[in-house]
Amino acid sequence: MNQTIRPLWNHQVEGINRGLRQKDLGLFFEQGTGKSRTMIEVLRRLYAKENRVMRTLILCPIIVCENWKKEFGMYSKINHFDIVVLKGPGRKRVQDFLEIAEKNKIVITNYEAMENKDLHLLLAQWCEILVCDESQRLKNPDSVRAKKVVQIADLCKHRYILTGTPILNSCSDVFMQFRILDGGETFGKNYYAFRHEYFEDANARRKGTQGYFPDWKPKPFTFEVLQDRISHKAMRVLKSECLDLPPFVNQRVDVELGAEQKRMYKQMMNDYVTWLKTKDNEPRAVVAQLAVTKALRLQQIISGFAKDDAGVVHRLEDNPRVKVLEELLTDLTPVHKVIVWATFKENYTMISELCTKLSLGYREIHGDISHKDREKNMQDFRKNPEVRVMIANQRAAGTGVNLVEASYSIYYSKNFSLEDDLQSAARNYRGGSEQHEKVTRIDLVSPGTIDELINESITNKESVAEKILD
């Protein structure tokens, strides 16, 4: 491609050098620090040594498959036809692969493709280099998908894992990723042996009693040992250490519940059921039979709606959260572009209606938006000065999306996922954010509610990751 590209950052040069020295390497680069370009530069040099494109399989979330192909075009002179994205129904993927199976190509596909037995077998026999992008998706040792990736990895000459968040829930998250990376050299091949070595059951004394369940906690030395072993095979890069970014400001805005929300929240907390007051005076039950459903119902109530037993969605008339969002958007959008993050479909509708009321141009990225429209909406937000707001879901827009034109992000509703939280925050705080004096994140929080529990859960998970990785 004939275009000017920026010079490599120092940490990328170091990553390239390590990638050439080591046949297996983890690039634990925080979101927005250029891990995919670093990987492409490593691959280019490996191909040059072999004087050919080596048979390379890149596994990644489906949303970034095309982005990988685009970045190969930006950062290499590899022929466009040598880069194949496998997509569509399983049978089509197999047929598309068979057409190039005898050739040296770069194949890009999503992790779900591993569940196709025929395609998995073909790729395992074909692959020389394996790249797993967002490798935290493979952290579960019981996952069929992760086990299938291990089978391919064990037959490869080179293996690389890329992620900014290798540890999301527990330090045990690293086992399966390293099993894929180095065939068990670092932590062995058996997860249960790994767990026995580094963890202990805090409930061991209750074993055999009614209601016993194991509670695996790291042994006193675990953090230090894991940190040392990980550093031999992986490179950790933080934005704060390698990019000249503006200050990142965290701001909490407390939002009291409305009267109806308070009543419904209290009832759901105490009884797993609450009742909606409807216009036709017919009481409608909102029921949670399980604790996980109860948590979901509580989140919905504080975000301004409830779903009754028949699955019908009802808006709550008094919703202070929308009123606070209205004030924020009114103040911010004349000068700043804003991302509003939300978890529920009904939230997208509420926020879009608010934008229409305020005569604000907006676009959306969530599960109901097609990949084609998602790309267009992202470009509209970035380039069209009339589009001031992006309404986005943390999971759907949390990977492979660049929204650095936004200097503010507002979290209207959230879930318990650390990965979703970190990925979404990185959409507008990354290389390119230096165009702003500061980047501000605003969390809307109802004190004394499940909002507090979600924030505490995310903070605790992040603390474990920092102890080992940073």
Side-chain angles (χ1 to χ4, degrees), residues 240-386:
S240 59
E241 296 173 349
C242 67
L243 301 183
D244 187 18
L245 295 179
F248 186 79
V249 180
N250 281 292
Q251 184 178 345
R252 167 174 162 158
V253 174
D254 286 349
V255 183
E256 293 297 328
L257 297 180
E260 187 179 14
Q261 285 176 310
K262 285 180 181 177
R263 174 187 64 79
M264 293 180 65
Y265 191 93
K266 185 176 180 180
Q267 286 180 337
M268 180 59 67
M269 277 291 294
N270 294 336
D271 304 321
Y272 279 67
V273 64
T274 185
W275 297 89
L276 280 159
K277 295 178 180 178
T278 59
K279 293 179 180 178
D280 56 9
N281 291 322
E282 288 287 332
R284 305 287 172 86
V286 179
V287 180
Q289 296 180 342
L290 302 171
V292 66
T293 312
K294 176 181 176 181
L296 187 69
R297 296 287 179 256
L298 293 172
Q299 288 174 266
Q300 291 170 344
I301 289 168
I302 62 178
S303 75
F305 75 97
K307 188 179 288 188
D308 68 25
D309 216 19
V312 178
V313 171
H314 301 265
R315 294 267 186 96
L316 305 183
E317 290 185 10
D318 183 17
N319 183 9
R321 189 165 293 219
V322 166
K323 295 174 185 176
V324 169
L325 180 62
E326 180 175 358
E327 292 176 7
L328 289 169
L329 292 180
T330 300
D331 292 342
L332 296 174
T333 52
V335 179
H336 305 277
K337 290 202 173 194
V338 180
I339 308 168
V340 182
W341 296 101
T343 301
F344 303 108
K345 286 185 179 182
E346 191 63 22
N347 293 161
Y348 315 148
T349 306
M350 292 174 177
I351 299 164
S352 64
E353 289 173 359
L354 175 60
C355 289
T356 300
K357 173 186 172 183
L358 297 175
S359 300
L360 294 174
Y362 69 91
R363 295 292 185 270
E364 301 179 56
I365 301 179
H366 47 71
D368 292 336
I369 304 296
S370 69
H371 182 73
K372 181 180 177 181
D373 288 341
R374 186 177 305 190
E375 288 293 319
K376 181 181 182 301
N377 289 354
M378 182 173 69
Q379 293 306 316
D380 286 350
F381 178 77
R382 297 194 65 186
K383 296 178 179 180
N384 186 343
E386 300 300 318

Side-chain angles (χ1 to χ4, degrees), residues 384-414:
N384 186 343
E386 300 300 318
V387 178
R388 309 305 296 171
V389 176
M390 175 65 81
I391 304 167
N393 172 272
Q394 291 94 316
R395 185 156 297 172
T399 306
V401 173
N402 188 335
L403 301 172
V404 292
E405 280 68 25
S407 53
Y408 278 82
S409 58
I410 300 172
Y411 283 75
Y412 183 88
S413 56
K414 295 194 295 188

Side-chain angles (χ1 to χ4, degrees), residues 252 414 443 445 450-459:
R252 167 174 162 158
K414 295 194 295 188
D443 286 89
V445 178
I450 197 168
D451 277 345
E452 305 266 21
L453 186 61
I454 290 172
N455 289 342
E456 182 182 352
S457 173
I458 289 173
T459 300

Side-chain angles (χ1 to χ4, degrees), residues 126-351:
W126 173 87
C127 185
E128 293 178 283
I129 300 176
L130 175 65
V131 177
C132 297
D133 186 21
E134 303 299 342
S135 61
Q136 75 277 3
R137 306 275 174 109
L138 302 171
K139 69 182 186 297
N140 183 356
D142 295 323
S143 160
V144 173
R145 185 182 307 169
K147 291 175 181 177
K148 293 287 188 182
V149 176
V150 165
Q151 292 171 7
I152 294 178
D154 283 351
L155 298 172
C156 290
K157 294 179 181 177
H158 300 277
R159 294 158 291 200
Y160 303 95
I161 59 175
L162 283 58
T163 176
T165 53
I167 298 172
L168 289 169
N169 299 312
S170 161
C171 46
S172 64
D173 289 352
V174 299
F175 171 79
M176 203 61 177
Q177 295 175 77
F178 272 76
R179 173 65 185 88
I180 290 165
L181 178 66
D182 63 15
E185 287 180 13
T186 300
F187 296 121
K189 295 184 177 183
N190 187 292
Y191 171 72
Y192 298 101
F194 165 81
R195 189 177 69 183
H196 178 75
E197 182 174 357
Y198 294 104
F199 297 81
E200 56 191 359
D201 181 6
N203 289 339
R205 291 183 179 180
R206 298 183 56 195
K207 198 168 185 177
T209 63
Q210 187 175 7
Y212 160 78
F213 64 92
D215 182 16
W216 297 102
K217 299 290 187 183
K219 292 179 179 179
F221 62 84
T222 293
F223 289 154
E224 291 76 11
V225 174
L226 291 188
Q227 186 180 56
D228 178 63
R229 294 197 175 184
I230 287 170
S231 67
H232 292 297
K233 289 288 182 76
M235 178 180 168
R236 179 64 167 163
V237 171
L238 300 176
K239 281 182 285 199
S240 59
E241 296 173 349
C242 67
L243 301 183
D244 187 18
L245 295 179
F248 186 79
V249 180
N250 281 292
Q251 184 178 345
R252 167 174 162 158
V253 174
D254 286 349
V255 183
E256 293 297 328
L257 297 180
E260 187 179 14
Q261 285 176 310
K262 285 180 181 177
R263 174 187 64 79
M264 293 180 65
Y265 191 93
K266 185 176 180 180
Q267 286 180 337
M268 180 59 67
M269 277 291 294
N270 294 336
D271 304 321
Y272 279 67
V273 64
T274 185
W275 297 89
L276 280 159
K277 295 178 180 178
T278 59
K279 293 179 180 178
D280 56 9
N281 291 322
E282 288 287 332
R284 305 287 172 86
V286 179
V287 180
Q289 296 180 342
L290 302 171
V292 66
T293 312
K294 176 181 176 181
L296 187 69
R297 296 287 179 256
L298 293 172
Q299 288 174 266
Q300 291 170 344
I301 289 168
I302 62 178
S303 75
F305 75 97
K307 188 179 288 188
D308 68 25
D309 216 19
V312 178
V313 171
H314 301 265
R315 294 267 186 96
L316 305 183
E317 290 185 10
D318 183 17
N319 183 9
R321 189 165 293 219
V322 166
K323 295 174 185 176
V324 169
L325 180 62
E326 180 175 358
E327 292 176 7
L328 289 169
L329 292 180
T330 300
D331 292 342
L332 296 174
T333 52
V335 179
H336 305 277
K337 290 202 173 194
V338 180
I339 308 168
V340 182
W341 296 101
T343 301
F344 303 108
K345 286 185 179 182
E346 191 63 22
N347 293 161
Y348 315 148
T349 306
M350 292 174 177
I351 299 164

Side-chain angles (χ1 to χ4, degrees), residues 39-40 43 47 52-62 64-70 72 78-88 90 92-114 116 118-133 149 152 156 158 160:
M39 189 70 253
I40 289 168
L43 294 174
Y47 301 161
R52 66 182 174 91
V53 171
M54 298 176 72
R55 297 189 298 276
T56 304
L57 173 62
I58 298 175
L59 295 174
C60 58
I62 192 168
V64 295
C65 285
E66 291 293 343
N67 197 56
W68 267 99
K69 183 167 185 174
K70 193 183 301 179
F72 268 105
I78 296 170
N79 192 309
H80 176 80
F81 296 104
D82 286 335
I83 307 165
V84 179
V85 178
L86 295 180
K87 56 187 177 181
K92 179 181 183 300
R93 295 191 195 208
V94 171
Q95 188 59 46
D96 289 347
F97 179 76
L98 286 172
E99 292 178 7
I100 56 99
E102 300 300 320
K103 302 173 183 176
N104 296 319
K105 299 282 185 181
I106 300 165
V107 170
I108 305 166
T109 194
N110 60 315
Y111 286 114
E112 288 74 15
M114 294 296 95
N116 182 317
D118 294 334
L119 182 59
H120 172 263
L121 181 61
L122 290 167
L123 289 169
Q125 296 169 341
W126 173 87
C127 185
E128 293 178 283
I129 300 176
L130 175 65
V131 177
C132 297
D133 186 21
V149 176
I152 294 178
C156 290
H158 300 277
Y160 303 95

